[in-house]
Amino acid sequence: ERQGGTVSATGVNRSNHGAYVHTTTTLAGRYFLAGGLRVERSSVFGTKVAPRGSLGVRLAGARGPVSSSFLRFSAGRGITEPSLIQNFSREYYFVGNPDLKPERTSSYEIALVQEWFGRRARTEVAAFHNSFRDLIAFVSLPAPVWGSWKNLEASRARGVEVSGKARITDVVSFTAAYTRLWTRILESASPASPYYAVGQELARRPAHSGSLGLSVSP
């Protein structure tokens, strides 16, 4: 509908269909394999394929203060579609972009997992690398509109995560995690923007983040 020179999107729609297969297996009681494949079909973006797999290796198994040790590798690809607001919004201060493409990501991770005190506690140290294509970002536009969304060409996120979980009693558990993250924009659809120029860090991706949790499960 056209109202006063602006377009109000009231009849837009999108349909999605998907199918996936997933399997897990254990070899010789030491190697743990998992893999899957998902196919997404969108009425707007066409067909996308997202594979994923992981391998876990038991390095040592023991009882007592130092229990089992595992080394884990994982890799995968995925997509995230833009929201309906990002595609079709016609608010006064920001407008949608119907030409947005889905975000595409490739992820790799390696982690060392250690169990303690008969599996009452568990710690994990992981290093990861995520590559993004067509990352969706909010960009400024000339007044009176504040902005819209565009696809950045390429970016990456690397980091290290340390986490732990301890079972204090049979019903009380404590968790903690810390992540150190490094991000960079490698190619940009808005190179003149001070926020999305090549070499800048990604917005809303904190360099330091952490969490603490206490759960009770009677």
Side-chain angles (χ1 to χ4, degrees), residues 142-191:
V145 178
W146 284 0
S148 183
W149 291 268
K150 295 182 71 173
N151 290 107
L152 300 180
E153 294 300 321
S155 58
R156 70 163 185 247
R158 300 171 175 171
V160 177
E161 184 175 42
V162 181
S163 62
K165 180 177 182 179
R167 195 168 71 249
I168 301 173
T169 69
D170 289 342
V171 298
V172 179
S173 298
F174 175 76
T175 59
Y178 167 76
T179 301
R180 178 66 170 99
L181 186 65
W182 293 270
T183 64
R184 282 293 182 273
I185 295 174
L186 305 179
E187 301 175 40
S188 177
S190 302

Side-chain angles (χ1 to χ4, degrees), residues 26-94:
T26 302
L27 301 176
R30 184 178 180 183
Y31 302 96
F32 307 90
L33 301 171
L37 181 70
R38 184 175 184 89
V39 179
E40 292 277 357
R41 172 67 181 176
S42 168
S43 61
V44 177
F45 310 112
T47 302
K48 304 293 182 182
V49 179
R52 179 168 297 179
S54 66
L55 167 65
V57 182
R58 187 196 302 272
L59 302 178
R63 296 182 179 179
V66 181
S67 302
S68 300
S69 303
F70 298 89
L71 188 63
R72 188 183 73 242
F73 307 89
S74 62
R77 291 183 176 179
I79 64 167
T80 300
E81 294 185 353
S83 67
L84 292 177
I85 290 178
Q86 292 171 333
N87 263 148
F88 305 116
S89 171
R90 288 297 180 266
E91 296 293 335
Y92 179 75
Y93 292 110
F94 55 86

Side-chain angles (χ1 to χ4, degrees), residues 102-130:
E103 298 177 334
R104 296 177 290 154
T105 181
S106 298
S107 304
Y108 307 91
E109 183 182 76
I110 180 172
L112 180 63
V113 181
Q114 179 65 55
E115 296 177 335
W116 308 85
F117 307 109
R119 305 181 69 181
R120 293 189 67 88
R122 175 187 177 100
T123 56
E124 180 172 335
V125 179
F128 58 88
H129 178 100
N130 299 329

